[in-house]
Amino acid sequence: MNKITNHLPTAELQAIDAAHHMHPFTAGGELAQKGTRVITGADGIWLRDSEGNKILDAMAGLWCVNIGYGRDSLADVAARQMRELPYYNTFFQTTHVPAIALAQKLAELAPGDLNNVFYANGGSDANDTNIRMVRTYWAEKGQPQKEVIISRWNAYHGSTIGGTSLGGMKGMHGQGSLPIPGIEFIDQPNWWAEGGDSDPEEFGLACARQLEEKIKDLGEDKVAAFIAEPVQGAGGVIVAPDSYWPEIQRICDKYDILLIADEVICGFGRTGEWFGSQYYDIRPDIMTVAKGLSSGYVPIGASIVSDEVAAVLAGTEFNHGYTYSGHPVACAVALENLRILEEEGIVDHVKNVAAPYLAEQWHSLADHPMVGETRIVGLMASLALVPKKGSRAPFASDAGTVGLMTRERCFANNLIMRHVGDRMIIAPPLVITPAEIDDLIARARKSLDEAYENVKKAGLLVAKPE
Ligand SMILES: *Cc1c(COP(=O)(O)O)cnc(C)c1O
């Protein structure tokens, strides 16, 4: 058999990549100049590249490889399923065993009466499903004008037309004339960047109450749902003040607004609970899941839906679905992933071992001269880079300039840590051990030190004037 690892020299691979491969979320010209890193293998929390480097992946791929790389049993299950039944659809009065078994398992794991699963291929298209689902739900209940979905600025809900529209990233809206009609936004509960002189808990309450004001402005009879990530991931691991979620839940209940929890990152153990909704004690009507559902080994996503919403939808034909909704190979692999998460006690490992230890170590970075704050929930963490210790003032340079310089040092030190603007973020595989956390923190500190020197040398250690 041809081995893919028996590959061309790195420079040739990079040249072909630059010539023919269009990368997501990447400025093409820039990348072609710098050359991409060619990842050839992985095991546990470690990546290997074509030059033989061993890289600590503190982002678990894209927040998804919860059980770590190199799990043979997922490969075995996929091969077995491909031989037995590689594909069949679930559209016209047919079903198959993997789709049934995974739906049952998700119903068991999901909180409350979230017992009904509509499959997708990832998080974006599951959120597209959600848009059509909540609007169809209200139409079926005789309130077709209840159409508006309220979201938050700087939220990330995917990159399809629907996902981009639900997301609150203005740079994404600008490409493709989005959002679609009927999406409204309130502020994110980002006290560090936007809280001004307010107390964090009061700021959290005020942000939540923007939802109430928005509902009153639009009219309760016009609003279908509110969508939010329990912890904003791609926006920079923004952790809401404690006052925020109880108030959001109160408002959704009071005005009869469906609550959609986008659990694509928070789900499957990231917070130390199975779902972020359990961490924050909220009762969503729909949860979006993807990423950790299969630990990224195959593409799969889903909407997990309450009994009430599912019962109303059952009253009509929901004209929606994807060719690969409930793909048997994806479902079989996801089931094996959930078996590993459960039987190896990985969610408990996060809660009782990895998260407390990472929190202690991560907060130790707060003494660094360029670190303003450190935040962490479970195994997702962020820190704010600041020009002036003790102040929340941002850098005078364009947002992201110093973040990118810091990420470059991480890259050089074989640590995958991302930047969002001038925040650095991590979300390592959930199986990370305390010794590996020590290694992660040592690399992060070294990278911060080097970046700090570079920022100073470049004359960028300057706060934006007020
Ligand atoms: C990644 C992500 C998505 C999009 O999922 P895809 O599988 O990339 O389509 C949606 N919501 C959240 C919160 C995400 O982090």
Side-chain angles (χ1 to χ4, degrees):
M1 212 173 12
N2 271 337
K3 270 186 111 179
I4 294 169
T5 43
N6 206 359
H7 57 68
L8 296 167
T10 303
E12 279 179 56
L13 288 171
Q14 287 171 330
I16 299 168
D17 188 73
H20 299 296
H21 179 193
M22 300 172 77
H23 287 251
F25 286 97
T26 301
E30 207 180 297
L31 190 73
Q33 244 175 20
K34 276 197 273 186
T36 45
R37 200 160 197 172
V38 183
I39 304 300
T40 52
D43 191 37
I45 67 161
W46 300 95
L47 304 170
R48 280 189 308 281
D49 72 9
S50 56
E51 298 294 275
N53 291 303
K54 200 176 155 196
I55 305 159
L56 196 163
D57 183 8
M59 281 307 301
L62 277 178
W63 327 75
C64 54
V65 189
N66 289 15
I67 61 169
Y69 298 95
R71 298 285 192 146
D72 285 341
S73 71
L74 273 68
D76 296 341
V77 161
R80 203 185 312 139
Q81 186 57 48
M82 279 196 197
R83 292 202 174 91
E84 195 170 308
L85 178 70
Y87 176 74
Y88 201 70
N89 72 76
T90 55
F91 279 36
F92 310 116
Q93 293 192 357
T94 54
T95 189
H96 50 68
V97 177
I100 297 167
L102 181 60
Q104 181 188 34
K105 188 73 207 171
L106 288 172
E108 177 198 317
L109 291 173
D113 69 342
L114 299 174
N115 291 320
N116 311 275
V117 177
F118 196 104
Y119 289 114
N121 306 299
S124 305
D125 54 325
N127 277 328
D128 282 41
T129 297
N130 294 339
I131 294 175
R132 301 194 60 205
M133 193 180 274
V134 298
R135 289 176 174 175
T136 305
Y137 166 84
W138 287 114
E140 277 302 294
K141 292 194 38 151
Q143 292 178 269
Q145 77 294 344
K146 238 168 126 67
E147 268 201 327
V148 176
I149 301 171
I150 301 173
S151 178
R152 307 184 295 183
W153 293 117
N154 199 38
Y156 187 77
H157 297 298
S159 188
T160 51
I161 299 282
T164 303
S165 295
L166 289 174
M169 300 203 164
K170 290 179 184 162
M172 291 177 71
H173 289 169
Q175 294 173 321
S177 302
L178 300 173
I180 57 169
I183 314 287
E184 295 278 338
F185 296 89
I186 59 173
D187 286 331
Q188 58 174 340
N190 184 352
W191 176 80
W192 176 264
E194 298 170 6
D197 296 331
S198 66
D199 166 78
E201 297 308 326
E202 273 164 30
F203 178 76
L205 273 184
C207 287
R209 285 181 189 151
Q210 282 189 20
L211 176 61
E212 189 160 34
E213 286 155 34
K214 190 62 119 181
I215 293 166
K216 284 180 178 162
D217 281 355
L218 294 162
E220 183 180 341
D221 59 331
K222 297 286 194 306
V223 181
F226 174 65
I227 183 168
E229 305 150 83
V231 176
Q232 278 163 267
V237 185
I238 310 297
V239 183
D242 291 340
S243 57
Y244 183 76
W245 278 110
E247 186 66 1
I248 290 285
Q249 182 71 59
R250 179 192 71 77
I251 294 164
C252 289
D253 290 346
K254 176 169 178 194
Y255 297 96
D256 209 8
I257 307 296
L258 296 175
L259 175 57
I260 307 170
D262 187 338
E263 295 266 5
V264 171
I265 288 176
C266 291
F268 306 104
R270 176 69 49 202
T271 66
E273 303 290 340
W274 274 90
F275 297 96
S277 295
Q278 293 160 322
Y279 184 90
Y280 283 112
D281 207 10
I282 50 178
R283 289 173 278 100
D285 300 282
I286 299 176
M287 294 196 313
T288 319
V289 294
K291 295 193 171 122
L293 169 56
S294 65
S295 283
Y297 279 63
V298 291
I300 183 169
S303 304
I304 311 182
V305 180
S306 74
D307 286 340
E308 207 265 328
V309 172
V312 170
L313 278 167
T316 185
E317 179 176 337
F318 187 34
N319 296 308
H320 180 75
Y322 308 111
T323 300
Y324 301 129
S325 289
H327 191 287
V329 177
C331 289
V333 170
L335 260 177
E336 175 63 6
N337 172 61
L338 297 180
R339 185 193 68 74
I340 288 175
L341 277 172
E342 213 169 19
E343 286 183 12
E344 294 186 7
I346 292 173
V347 182
D348 289 340
H349 166 76
V350 173
K351 185 172 185 161
N352 299 318
V353 180
Y357 189 65
L358 180 63
E360 199 184 298
Q361 297 303 309
W362 188 253
H363 288 313
S364 80
L365 295 172
D367 66 12
H368 192 277
M370 199 163 63
V371 173
E373 74 153 358
T374 48
R375 293 303 301 262
I376 180 164
V377 168
L379 287 186
M380 54 197 306
S382 61
L383 57 82
L385 300 170
V386 291
K388 204 165 138 243
K389 196 86 185 159
S391 154
R392 274 149 66 212
F395 288 93
S397 49
D398 288 345
T401 307
V402 173
L404 183 61
M405 289 171 78
T406 306
R407 194 196 71 184
E408 274 171 354
R409 293 324 303 158
C410 295
F411 220 63
N413 289 314
N414 286 332
L415 168 67
I416 305 282
M417 170 153 81
R418 257 170 75 179
H419 79 105
V420 176
D422 294 321
R423 277 186 99 79
M424 304 307 297
I425 60 176
I426 58 164
L430 306 187
V431 292
I432 194 167
T433 63
E436 289 168 334
I437 289 172
D438 288 340
D439 195 342
L440 188 168
I441 296 294
R443 287 172 199 234
R445 190 174 281 281
K446 179 166 188 282
S447 305
L448 283 167
D449 285 345
E450 292 170 4
Y452 182 58
E453 289 309 317
N454 290 346
V455 170
K456 260 199 294 200
K457 258 185 258 160
L460 293 174
L461 207 62
V462 182
K464 191 173 260 172
E466 301 219 359

